[in-house]
Amino acid sequence: METALSVGIDPAKQRDLASRTLSAYAADYFDSLPGTGIDSETVDKYRRIYEQYIRTPLGIKPVAAIRVADVKKLRSQLSETISDRTKRPLSTATIKHALRLLRAVLNTAVEDEAIQTNPAALKFSAATINRQREHVDSRTYTRLTVEDIAAAADYIGTEQTWTSVDKRNGKTRTHVKPANPVYALAILFSAYTGLRRAELQGLEIRDLTLPQIPGTSGSVRVERAKKAAHGYISEPLKTTNAYRTIPLDAWLADDLRDYLARIHRDSANPTAPLFPGRLSRAEGKQQGRTVAVSAEMFDWSRPLDEEMVYKRYWLPALNALSLPHSRWHDQRHTFATHAIQSGENIRDVSRWLGHSKISTTLDIYASVLANEDNEKAAPTSRPVPRERNDVRENVVQLERKAR
């Protein structure tokens, strides 16, 4: 106590600070973020991560009572947690975000001199969790083939009719799901450009470069992101490398030319969303439109809502075709792996994905670079020993010069 007093620390105050709960310091941490350059959406994301993954196991504990063992236990629990959205274990990135947030909150307690060291300042080993999951699941993520995605897109773009029997009266009912070629094209576009969700929602007509000659390739420029939480207001991309141009294959460019010419109702407006959102039933009723009909359901002034397309079209198509559950983001993996396996240069793939470093691409898709048949790309043949000459035949007698 005398030592503490000699350096200006009040032991009684330190005891009170140490007895404050982790949630109290979390509140202090979140209140300190505005004005630091972190946008409000990111702060809200941090709050959600804390509420979902940290508050229940550790929130009521005094910060002085949190030990390294508690942090390791939390990490273990998170690695076994199943996501409500994807129905799969939490990604290592999500676990890493949660542990980084815990470390940042506890740093606030260290700065207040409530605790001497940060128990969450331990190294996070994503490789350990990945190795364990690969051993159990034999995979790191669900990667559909381009043929699977084409089948799902065809299912969404084709009218579906089926019958069912009403158990109450025994009558047969016919159900019709209208074709939706717009969202079918959006899925194919996503799988063949590798765009992130917010980037796809941020695309506008002006971002496309499509020569008028059929059968020629085009390109799309990624300039902005849009998210539903902000009312689809354009936002800057997170890194410089995220601003990029992605080439479009000739067949995809042809589909887009046809889509803009025949289907898109505001294609002359360069700032119109490339893929539209969907009207609700109430909005459709106000406008006198039947949203059950595919052609009448779109709001051409509103960007595509990936979450809605994912739940109402993507997942039902996967279930109907008996395909494995796959996130929308996994189409980005399909794009990258298909490009690498097709022989595209890894530097080009990294640039198209918008990765800040090529090492990021190599780390994520290292397993794809290996031959899937566990064979060498250029196998060697059995070595043939060269013909040996008799040693004696190689000896050349030297003649002495006459003096």
Side-chain angles (χ1 to χ4, degrees), residues 140-157:
T140 54
Y141 50 77
T142 303
R143 173 171 56 87
L144 297 179
T145 65
V146 289
E147 292 80 11
D148 292 336
I149 293 177
D154 181 69
Y155 180 88
I156 294 169

Side-chain angles (χ1 to χ4, degrees), residues 20-28 50 55 58-61 63 105:
R20 293 186 72 205
T21 64
L22 179 69
S23 290
Y25 279 100
D28 293 344
Y50 180 83
R55 185 178 64 83
L58 297 176
I60 62 174
K61 276 195 168 190
V63 288
V105 172

Side-chain angles (χ1 to χ4, degrees), residues 208-263:
L208 287 179
T209 299
L210 298 174
Q212 295 300 315
I213 304 174
T216 55
S217 59
S219 64
V220 59
R221 175 70 183 166
V222 183
E223 295 279 359
R224 72 198 68 78
K226 291 183 181 179
K227 299 179 182 179
H230 279 202
Y232 296 107
I233 298 174
S234 295
E235 297 179 344
L237 302 176
K238 288 190 175 181
T239 64
T240 303
N241 295 75
Y243 293 88
R244 61 200 189 275
T245 299
I246 305 170
L248 302 175
D249 294 325
W251 66 268
L252 183 55
D254 284 341
D255 287 355
L256 288 166
R257 277 187 282 262
D258 180 68
Y259 163 66
L260 295 178
R262 292 192 310 106
I263 300 176

